[in-house]
């Protein structure tokens, strides 16, 4: 997937409470599963395992810490154990990007053609 560099290196964005509640619920349940998230190394990365805690790190944001000691910033989570995360809409926008393209042509150039 062709991820824009801006998606990989962003400042922390506030996360809606509903996403935090899902994380807190999984911590209490000691749930296990896969987490997909935006990362600098590969664009989209995955991690697996139970979440031990959610912690705020000064000037960096809120992170989850997994059993294997991985740390993931919660505003970059695409899916958490199969449920949409805070960055899911951003990820979904890449999926829909081709639906908006017109092959490099302007709409006026395509008049009379079926798009």
């Amino acid at each position: 997937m062709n991820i824009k560099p801006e998606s990989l290196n962003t400042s922390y964005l506030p996360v809606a409470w509903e996403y935090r509640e899902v994380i807190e619920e999984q911590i209490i349940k000691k749930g296990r599963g896969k987490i997909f998230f935006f990362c600098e190394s590969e664009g989209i990365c995955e991690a697996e395992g139970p979440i031990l805690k959610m912690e705020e790190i000064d000037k960096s944001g809120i992170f989850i810490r997994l059993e294997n000691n991985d740390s993931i910033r919660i505003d970059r989570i695409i899916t958490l154990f199969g449920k949409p995360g805070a960055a899911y809409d951003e990820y979904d926008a890449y999926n829909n990007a081709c639906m908006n393209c017109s092959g490099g042509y302007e709409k006026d150039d395509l008049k009379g053609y079926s798009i």
Side-chain angles (χ1 to χ4, degrees):
M1 177 177 283
N2 188 9
I3 305 292
K4 295 178 184 175
E6 304 88 61
S7 294
L8 305 177
N9 190 13
T10 61
S11 297
Y12 178 79
L13 298 170
V15 173
W17 281 105
E18 60 210 40
Y19 298 116
R20 291 183 190 196
E21 287 173 354
V22 168
I23 293 169
E24 290 169 353
E25 180 181 299
Q26 292 301 327
I27 293 170
I28 292 168
K29 288 175 29 179
K30 298 182 190 306
R32 287 188 78 89
K34 285 190 177 185
I35 302 167
F36 291 91
F37 58 99
F38 286 111
C39 64
E40 290 187 42
S41 62
E42 298 176 34
I44 296 178
C45 293
E46 69 179 81
E48 189 169 352
I51 303 169
L52 297 180
K53 63 182 176 176
M54 184 168 42
E55 59 189 346
E56 186 166 358
I57 298 174
D58 285 342
K59 299 181 183 174
S60 295
I62 300 174
F63 291 78
I64 56 172
R65 174 114 23 224
L66 304 179
E67 185 176 64
N68 64 4
N69 218 25
D70 282 350
S71 184
I72 303 168
R73 206 171 81 189
I74 67 171
D75 68 326
R76 307 315 297 144
I77 296 174
I78 298 166
T79 60
L80 178 83
F81 305 165
K83 296 180 181 178
Y88 183 82
D89 287 341
E90 182 179 347
Y91 171 78
D92 195 42
Y94 288 108
N95 186 36
N96 293 329
C98 280
M99 303 297 269
N100 298 328
C101 72
S102 55
Y105 294 98
E106 296 294 323
K107 284 192 175 195
D108 291 338
D109 296 334
L110 296 173
K111 283 186 180 176
Y113 292 99
S114 175
I115 299 178

